[in-house]
Every structure is written in structure tokens, then in C-alpha cells.
């Protein structure tokens, strides 16, 4: 699971990975400039979509999808075990990823936090 935080002063969205998710994703955190965040949605159905080619991480169908994937030229970062808690963060001008698909504790509140942070400019 990822903990999402917004640092308005530094202009960053941070996703920190908890527990074994650090191992599954090969990452402890991602920092994304808020200027690169286009939006976020709660999307439990995303887990049924094809994942693409695993570049680095873990994929056990139906159990966990974590790490870096490429699909149709798109660069994706996954950290999802429970699809009901999955959010999708769309990125623009991103250096590393086009979308982040992350499991969070409260999807609706997290999407609201992200959306409010990017609309305030």
C-alpha cells in the first residue's frame, strides 16, 4: 500500500511504500512534481486491464502487481494487491512514468487530496 502526501511548498506528490511493498516494487518512495500531475481517479477495474511487460517488480495474477511495467509505449508503475482500493494518477511530462496505479487506504479521500492540490495551482 502507498501513503500519498502533498508538499505544496516543494511542489511534490510523494508516494511512500509500506512494509513488503518496498520489496515488491523495488522502491521505497516516488516523488513527482505536482506540475506533472494531470489528475487522479478511483478505478477498481484497472486491475483487470493487461499489465504489459514487467520491467522490474512483482506480478502474481490475482494477488499482487507491483513495480515498473510497459504497455503500448506507456510507462506504468503499479502497487496493487486489493483492486477495490486502486487509484490511477495520470502524469504529463513525466520523466519516468505516464501513470501510477496505486493501492491506498482511502481511495476517495486520496483522489480528492490530489485533485484539490493540482487545481489550486
Amino acid at each position: 500500500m502507498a501513503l500519498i502526501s502533498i508538499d505544496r511548498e516543494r511542489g511534490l506528490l510523494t508516494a511512500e511504500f509500506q512494509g513488503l511493498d518496498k520489496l515488491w516494487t523495488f522502491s521505497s518512495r516516488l516523488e513527482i512534481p505536482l506540475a506533472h500531475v494531470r489528475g487522479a481517479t478511483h478505478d477498481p477495474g484497472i486491475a483487470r486491464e493487461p499489465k504489459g511487460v514487467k520491467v522490474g517488480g512483482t506480478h502474481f495474477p490475482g494477488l499482487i502487481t507491483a513495480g515498473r511495467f510497459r504497455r503500448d509505449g506507456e510507462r506504468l508503475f503499479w502497487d496493487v494487491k486489493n483492486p477495490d482500493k486502486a487509484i490511477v494518477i495520470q502524469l504529463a511530462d513525466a520523466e519516468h512514468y505516464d501513470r501510477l496505479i496505486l493501492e491506498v487506504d482511502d481511495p476517495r479521500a486520496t483522489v480528492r487530496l490530489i485533485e484539490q492540490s493540482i487545481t489550486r495551482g
Side-chain angles (χ1 to χ4, degrees):
M1 183 170 314
L3 293 177
I4 305 294
S5 61
I6 303 293
D7 183 336
R8 300 277 310 148
E9 190 172 300
R10 293 177 51 214
L12 291 175
L13 177 149
T14 301
E16 290 196 49
F17 304 104
Q18 305 297 301
L20 288 175
D21 288 355
K22 292 178 186 180
L23 175 67
W24 307 134
T25 63
F26 297 146
S27 184
S28 61
R29 72 186 308 163
L30 296 174
E31 289 186 339
I32 307 294
L34 280 174
H36 293 182
V37 178
R38 290 190 347 209
T41 57
H42 176 210
D43 188 355
I46 191 87
R48 291 188 299 275
E49 288 188 12
K51 308 306 180 268
V53 176
K54 180 174 60 170
V55 177
T58 306
H59 182 60
F60 295 111
L63 296 177
I64 185 170
T65 304
R68 297 173 295 149
F69 291 75
R70 281 179 98 39
R71 187 181 83 196
D72 299 329
E74 190 176 32
R75 299 159 299 171
L76 310 170
F77 186 94
W78 283 81
D79 184 25
V80 175
K81 292 184 290 302
N82 179 354
D84 291 337
K85 295 186 172 203
I87 67 168
V88 178
I89 302 171
Q90 295 283 343
L91 304 174
D93 301 321
E95 294 175 24
H96 301 290
Y97 303 106
D98 298 296
R99 289 192 293 167
L100 309 177
I101 301 99
L102 306 173
E103 177 183 335
V104 297
D105 186 46
D106 186 340
R108 293 188 199 293
T110 303
V111 166
R112 190 170 37 255
L113 171 70
I114 294 167
E115 289 292 322
Q116 288 174 350
S117 296
I118 61 174
T119 57
R120 287 187 199 160

